[in-house]
Amino acid sequence: MMGRVCVILKHPDDIYPLMKLKIAARHAEKQIPPEPHWAFCYRMLHKVSRSFALVIQQLPAELRNAVCIFYLVLRALDTVEDDTSIPTDVKVPILTAFHHHIYDCDWHFSCGAKDYKVLMDQFHLVSTAFLELGKSYQEAIEDITKRMGAGMAKFICKEVETIDDYDEYCHYVAGLVGLGLSKLFHASGSEDLASDYLSNSMGLFLQKTNIIRDYLEDINEIPKSRMFWPREIWRKYVNKLEDLKYEENSEKAVQCLNNMVTNALMHVEDCLKYMAALRDPSIFRFCAIPQIMAIGTLALCYNNIEVFLGVVKMRRGLTAKVIDRTKMMADVYGAFFDFSCLLKSKVNKSDPNATRTLSRLEAVQKTCRDSGVLNNRKSYIVRSEPRYNSALIVMLFIVLSILFAYLNAKRPNN
Ligand code: D61
Ligand code: MG
């Protein structure tokens, strides 16, 4: 608790967006549909997706239902993939037949833990909701589930050796989500059909950021560690991937990390191009918010030894600010510009990839500048000196404590 207070004291301008976010989240919780299967799906979405639930909630109703089910189906598939206690000969057939299981309201397979286990045990409710979607939505979801399941199965017994393997794996688990979403947006009648290439890049950028940030969590996975960093990259720095977490290798570890970040940055311009072509404001926000969070996370991880010691996460307040301020393409260019500046300031001349990293960042900044919309905006990183005095802080805290107490007291299960 004291930690949170200190964070807020350092960033007083986080307070307003945090309050807004809290209110939006409560509002979303209240909008759960009355039918039991849809109620289950939306409740599950809120529980299992830390960041996607809120942005999905803002989509137009019909598309929202399709995206919600798309998310839950793939999350269930991923729960099977991620459960390292399932033997390969059991797991592979489930992954490759998953696109059939979604049509079968009697099918279920128990695995995963906590909320994921509930999702798996009650999967018939997801199937029931899936069968109520329009045919074009169903077909898009089925097609992506089939291809993702086959791709996951392929990588169950295969290590990520080369950078091509890495891009291929990320294509299966996230690039395909991008392709599927583009199809769903198009089917809803709100957007032109985006190219597969750009849709794939949207997913790759998000997935690579996750893989970088989750190094320690994945390597420490029980009973068997999971390794997604490609050997082609890490072998230049260490003999075994797990050596990166040992203190004696910290210099090499950070260099390897920076190499991984530089690799992820390759997708930024494709992502900007994809987002610039979107028309519907709610679809735009749905796509842009995760992308800004990703570049923010990369900026936080770059040259940061903490990635090998625990989980590095963006401040809740900064997340809230991103959600609050992302309305149009100018906001995206602004955010990408800011985080590129922050990244640039962290690049060490002595890093083996410094030149490559800097030229990537300069290309990103040029794209943002050439958009011609970078003036007159609040920055995410260059904070002007806080303009408040201690009396104001005390006042704010009193107001905040009352508000938080009020909001928590009104929570049904607390
Ligand atoms: C626009 C907006 C959102 C987008 C997009 C374009 C393109 C791709 C994506 C979202 C997907 C990005 C996934 C990045 C996070 N990675 C994971 O969650 C990993 O699992 C991958 C397989 C399941 C994908 C499920 C999914 C995720 C987001 C969605 C979605 C489906 C459907 C609609 C909208 C967003 C990761 O999960 C473990 C973890 O990090 O918790 C893993 O196992 O590697
Ligand atoms: Mg997975």
Side-chain angles (χ1 to χ4, degrees), residues 75 77-79 81-83 152 169 173 207 226 228:
R75 185 50 69 210
L77 180 68
D78 183 53
T79 303
E81 189 215 14
D82 288 354
D83 190 327
M152 284 172 164
Y169 177 74
V173 301
Q207 184 64 19
R226 309 221 52 196
F228 302 112

Side-chain angles (χ1 to χ4, degrees), residues 9 388-402:
L9 271 175
Y388 52 75
N389 58 41
S390 40
L392 197 67
I393 296 177
V394 173
M395 276 296 291
L396 247 161
F397 262 93
I398 295 169
V399 171
L400 263 178
S401 317
I402 295 169

